[in-house]
Every structure is written in C-alpha cells, then in structure tokens.
Amino acid sequence: MALLGKQCWRLLVNDTSLVSKFFKAKYYANGTLLSTELDDNPSFIWRSIFEAKGLIQAGATPTIAFFKMNSREWDEEIIKDLFDDRDQELIFSLQLSSTAISDYWSWRFERKGHYSVKSAYQFLQEEKGAWPITGATGVWKELWSLKVHLKVSNFLWRAASGSLPTCVQLKKRHVLVNPTCPLCLTTAETIFYVLVGRVHARACWNRTILDVGGNMDDDFINLLFELQCRGREVE
C-alpha cells in the first residue's frame, strides 16, 4: 500500500505529466484525484492506485492556498473535499493576497514534505494497530541479526509483514481466488494458519524447542513478539 501510495502521490503532485493527464481525462475529468470515486469498470492499474487514495488523503497537506488555476479565487471543490463546515467558513473568510504564489502539496510525515515509502509504511502500521513502532523496530533488528541464511530472514519478514501470497492475502488484493485452504478445505488460508495452525505446521512446531501451545492467534507478528519476550525472560 505504501508503494502504491507513491504512485498516487505522483499523480497528485505532477498533475501536468502525461500519465496524470491520462488518468484525469479517464477517471476524474470533472473533479480531482482526491475527490474521485471508483467507477463500475476500472482497470486493474487504476483500482490498485485508487486503493492508496485514503493514505494520500491522510498525509497530503496543501501548502500556501487553495486557489483555482491561473486565478486568485478559492477552489471551493477542493476545500469542501478536505475540510469540515467550520474550517471552510474560516478559509473563505480570509482576504486573498495579490501575490502570485502557486499551491503545492506537502507530505506531513516527512520534515521536508516529500513522500517516502518508509514514512507511509510506518503510518499504516500505526493506524491499523499492528504493532507499536518502537516495538516493531526491536523485532526487525533482532530478525535481521539472526545468524541464519538471508532467505530465512526474508521469509520471516514477509510472513510478519503480511506479504506471503496466501489465499486470504490474495483475496485482499482483489485476486479472484477462494480464501479457503486448498488442503483442508475447511479453514481460511491465512499466513498464521499456514505457518502455525495447519496440522502439518503444528507437527513441525512440536518438534522444536519453541512451544506455541494452544496459540491460535490469527496474526503471525504477535507470535514473533511473544517468542521475543520469552527469549528476553530466559536471558
């Protein structure tokens, strides 16, 4: 989503580019990128970019003023999209300057105002409450410092960040698949179920010193947190 947000951000700030003009003409000719809605027959590319619109709305901050292009009048459409009634009245009551300064967008999660995948990713994690950023930093540092093959660390990172292409994850990304596990045909194939909950996975865990007990949590990152805490207690 953070990577898709980067593409959405480019459409917002580079509205004179050929790609931006193409999408505007096709999908929001009578509005703006932030006010557009998904139509009945979008392309896969546009549907994917549109998924990141909420992220951009949360982090994009207009700088200077909200003027109509080539004029010194408020752009009422944009202001009404971004502000509540009280703030709209305050903005419209401001006396406009005659100084010709262009509007531009700023990314509020970076000091310099430029969009970054890292800051967007951190914001998304905080928003969904997946883990506190401080705690997550510790998990990632320990994960990448493990004395195992890089492929193993990469696999753990993909599992913890929700990047493994299980049926449920593919379904979330609008891939037309059945979310049910193709082996047991009874349970949704989540990342946690594949790596911990499935019978064969449980058998593998039982042969290690890492006891997962009756843990049937549906989030693999929580299991990593738990194992990390156990390791610190032993130390």
Side-chain angles (χ1 to χ4, degrees):
M1 186 60 65
L3 289 170
L4 287 172
K6 186 173 184 178
Q7 305 308 317
C8 193
W9 177 259
R10 287 175 174 172
L11 294 180
L12 180 66
V13 299
N14 299 324
D15 56 356
T16 59
S17 68
L18 180 60
V19 174
S20 296
K21 289 180 178 179
F22 169 80
F23 280 114
K24 178 174 176 58
K26 186 171 179 62
Y27 295 109
Y28 50 99
N30 298 318
T32 65
L33 174 65
L34 298 182
S35 67
T36 185
E37 297 295 335
L38 201 62
D39 59 21
D40 296 330
N41 189 30
S43 68
F44 177 77
I45 294 177
W46 175 246
R47 180 187 293 273
S48 300
I49 293 176
F50 185 85
E51 289 290 322
K53 191 185 79 166
L55 168 62
I56 297 304
Q57 285 178 315
T61 302
T63 306
I64 306 303
F66 302 93
F67 297 146
K68 292 181 179 178
M69 186 174 294
N70 300 322
S71 74
R72 305 304 295 172
E73 299 178 3
W74 293 115
D75 192 322
E76 296 183 8
E77 183 178 356
I78 293 180
I79 293 175
K80 289 179 179 179
D81 286 338
L82 297 176
F83 298 98
D84 57 29
D85 293 340
R86 173 184 173 277
D87 290 340
Q88 289 176 31
E89 292 181 4
L90 292 174
I91 292 174
F92 291 139
S93 67
L94 294 175
Q95 183 176 358
L96 298 180
S97 170
S98 59
T99 305
I101 302 178
S102 301
D103 295 347
Y104 63 93
W105 291 95
S106 176
W107 183 248
R108 69 185 180 92
F109 302 119
E110 289 286 355
R111 186 168 60 181
K112 293 184 177 181
H114 302 305
Y115 182 93
S116 74
V117 174
K118 179 181 178 180
S119 63
Y121 176 77
Q122 290 180 340
F123 167 73
L124 289 170
Q125 296 303 322
E126 290 177 326
E127 280 292 292
K128 73 178 184 178
W131 59 74
I133 291 302
T134 53
T137 300
V139 169
W140 300 139
K141 284 184 178 179
E142 291 191 17
L143 188 153
W144 293 112
S145 64
L146 292 175
K147 295 182 180 179
V148 296
H149 197 285
L150 185 60
K151 289 184 178 180
V152 177
S153 297
N154 183 267
F155 180 82
L156 285 174
W157 174 79
R158 294 181 66 193
S161 61
S163 301
L164 292 182
T166 61
C167 292
V168 169
Q169 294 301 104
L170 291 174
K171 186 75 173 181
K172 289 180 179 179
R173 286 159 176 76
H174 309 290
V175 179
L176 299 179
V177 297
N178 187 335
T180 304
C181 174
L183 295 182
C184 70
L185 301 178
T186 58
T187 307
E189 191 188 51
T190 63
I191 293 176
F192 186 89
Y193 179 71
V194 170
L195 299 180
V196 182
R198 189 181 283 165
V199 174
H200 300 85
R202 282 277 168 175
C204 293
W205 282 100
N206 291 337
R207 296 175 66 88
T208 70
I209 61 174
L210 300 175
D211 180 22
V212 295
N215 190 336
M216 289 303 292
D217 195 327
D218 200 31
D219 200 335
F220 190 73
I221 185 64
N222 290 336
L223 177 60
L224 287 186
F225 267 128
E226 182 179 337
L227 295 177
Q228 182 190 47
C229 292
R230 290 185 199 173
R232 290 174 178 172
E233 291 175 358
V234 172
E235 294 175 357

